[in-house]
PDB file of all heavy atoms in Angstrom:
ATOM      1  N   MET A  47     -50.311 -33.269  -1.809  1.00 39.00           N
ATOM      2  CA  MET A  47     -50.466 -31.818  -1.990  1.00 39.00           C
ATOM      3  C   MET A  47     -50.389 -31.076  -0.659  1.00 39.00           C
ATOM      4  O   MET A  47     -49.704 -30.073  -0.549  1.00 39.00           O
ATOM      5  CB  MET A  47     -51.833 -31.506  -2.618  1.00 39.00           C
ATOM      6  CG  MET A  47     -51.820 -31.377  -4.134  1.00 39.00           C
ATOM      7  SD  MET A  47     -50.446 -30.452  -4.796  1.00 39.00           S
ATOM      8  CE  MET A  47     -51.227 -28.951  -5.296  1.00 39.00           C
ATOM      9  N   GLU A  48     -51.110 -31.601   0.336  1.00 42.00           N
ATOM     10  CA  GLU A  48     -51.157 -30.891   1.610  1.00 42.00           C
ATOM     11  C   GLU A  48     -49.773 -30.696   2.217  1.00 42.00           C
ATOM     12  O   GLU A  48     -49.546 -29.750   2.946  1.00 42.00           O
ATOM     13  CB  GLU A  48     -52.020 -31.674   2.611  1.00 42.00           C
ATOM     14  CG  GLU A  48     -53.478 -31.262   2.517  1.00 42.00           C
ATOM     15  CD  GLU A  48     -54.378 -32.281   3.163  1.00 42.00           C
ATOM     16  OE1 GLU A  48     -53.928 -32.993   4.065  1.00 42.00           O
ATOM     17  OE2 GLU A  48     -55.530 -32.353   2.719  1.00 42.00           O
ATOM     18  N   SER A  49     -48.902 -31.614   1.891  1.00 45.00           N
ATOM     19  CA  SER A  49     -47.594 -31.539   2.525  1.00 45.00           C
ATOM     20  C   SER A  49     -46.678 -30.525   1.831  1.00 45.00           C
ATOM     21  O   SER A  49     -45.642 -30.173   2.344  1.00 45.00           O
ATOM     22  CB  SER A  49     -46.930 -32.915   2.522  1.00 45.00           C
ATOM     23  OG  SER A  49     -46.644 -33.267   1.196  1.00 45.00           O
ATOM     24  N   LYS A  50     -47.073 -30.046   0.671  1.00 43.00           N
ATOM     25  CA  LYS A  50     -46.238 -29.051  -0.007  1.00 43.00           C
ATOM     26  C   LYS A  50     -46.429 -27.675   0.623  1.00 43.00           C
ATOM     27  O   LYS A  50     -47.531 -27.316   1.008  1.00 43.00           O
ATOM     28  CB  LYS A  50     -46.632 -28.971  -1.490  1.00 43.00           C
ATOM     29  CG  LYS A  50     -46.246 -30.214  -2.265  1.00 43.00           C
ATOM     30  CD  LYS A  50     -45.013 -29.954  -3.115  1.00 43.00           C
ATOM     31  CE  LYS A  50     -44.383 -31.221  -3.637  1.00 43.00           C
ATOM     32  NZ  LYS A  50     -45.263 -31.965  -4.523  1.00 43.00           N
ATOM     33  N   SER A  51     -45.366 -26.915   0.684  1.00 46.00           N
ATOM     34  CA  SER A  51     -45.515 -25.576   1.251  1.00 46.00           C
ATOM     35  C   SER A  51     -46.167 -24.656   0.220  1.00 46.00           C
ATOM     36  O   SER A  51     -46.165 -24.929  -0.976  1.00 46.00           O
ATOM     37  CB  SER A  51     -44.153 -25.022   1.650  1.00 46.00           C
ATOM     38  OG  SER A  51     -43.503 -24.566   0.499  1.00 46.00           O
ATOM     39  N   ALA A  52     -46.704 -23.580   0.718  1.00 45.00           N
ATOM     40  CA  ALA A  52     -47.366 -22.620  -0.160  1.00 45.00           C
ATOM     41  C   ALA A  52     -46.421 -22.140  -1.256  1.00 45.00           C
ATOM     42  O   ALA A  52     -46.821 -21.920  -2.392  1.00 45.00           O
ATOM     43  CB  ALA A  52     -47.865 -21.437   0.662  1.00 45.00           C
ATOM     44  N   ILE A  55     -46.072 -24.368  -4.235  1.00 44.00           N
ATOM     45  CA  ILE A  55     -47.207 -24.223  -5.137  1.00 44.00           C
ATOM     46  C   ILE A  55     -47.032 -22.976  -6.012  1.00 44.00           C
ATOM     47  O   ILE A  55     -47.201 -23.017  -7.219  1.00 44.00           O
ATOM     48  CB  ILE A  55     -48.531 -24.160  -4.337  1.00 44.00           C
ATOM     49  CG1 ILE A  55     -48.819 -25.552  -3.756  1.00 44.00           C
ATOM     50  CG2 ILE A  55     -49.686 -23.717  -5.221  1.00 44.00           C
ATOM     51  CD1 ILE A  55     -49.876 -25.590  -2.716  1.00 44.00           C
ATOM     52  N   ASN A 305     -45.653 -28.747   6.391  1.00 97.00           N
ATOM     53  CA  ASN A 305     -46.138 -27.363   6.432  1.00 97.00           C
ATOM     54  C   ASN A 305     -46.080 -26.800   7.853  1.00 97.00           C
ATOM     55  O   ASN A 305     -47.000 -26.141   8.316  1.00 97.00           O
ATOM     56  CB  ASN A 305     -47.573 -27.297   5.878  1.00 97.00           C
ATOM     57  CG  ASN A 305     -47.975 -25.868   5.541  1.00 97.00           C
ATOM     58  OD1 ASN A 305     -47.133 -24.997   5.341  1.00 97.00           O
ATOM     59  ND2 ASN A 305     -49.275 -25.616   5.509  1.00 97.00           N
ATOM     60  N   THR A 307     -45.171 -24.186   9.733  1.00 98.00           N
ATOM     61  CA  THR A 307     -44.747 -22.791   9.529  1.00 98.00           C
ATOM     62  C   THR A 307     -43.994 -22.234  10.742  1.00 98.00           C
ATOM     63  O   THR A 307     -43.119 -21.385  10.591  1.00 98.00           O
ATOM     64  CB  THR A 307     -45.952 -21.881   9.203  1.00 98.00           C
ATOM     65  OG1 THR A 307     -46.976 -22.144  10.158  1.00 98.00           O
ATOM     66  CG2 THR A 307     -46.482 -22.151   7.815  1.00 98.00           C
TER      67      THR A 307
HETATM   68  C1  LIG B 247     -49.735 -24.237   5.256  1.00 70.81           C
HETATM   69  O1  LIG B 247     -50.139 -23.531   6.423  1.00 70.81           O
HETATM   70  C2  LIG B 247     -50.588 -22.231   6.197  1.00 70.81           C
HETATM   71  C3  LIG B 247     -50.794 -21.543   7.534  1.00 70.81           C
HETATM   72  O2  LIG B 247     -51.473 -22.376   8.426  1.00 70.81           O
HETATM   73  C4  LIG B 247     -51.832 -22.262   5.333  1.00 70.81           C
HETATM   74  O3  LIG B 247     -52.276 -20.952   5.076  1.00 70.81           O
HETATM   75  C5  LIG B 247     -51.498 -22.965   4.036  1.00 70.81           C
HETATM   76  O4  LIG B 247     -52.653 -23.111   3.245  1.00 70.81           O
HETATM   77  C6  LIG B 247     -50.881 -24.343   4.275  1.00 70.81           C
HETATM   78  N1  LIG B 247     -50.404 -24.877   3.026  1.00 70.81           N
HETATM   79  C7  LIG B 247     -50.529 -26.147   2.695  1.00 70.81           C
HETATM   80  C8  LIG B 247     -49.936 -26.526   1.388  1.00 70.81           C
HETATM   81  O5  LIG B 247     -51.095 -26.965   3.395  1.00 70.81           O
END
Side-chain angles (χ1 to χ4, degrees):
M47 266 317 253
E48 271 163 26
S49 67
K50 291 256 166 63
S51 78
I55 289 167
N305 196 21
T307 48

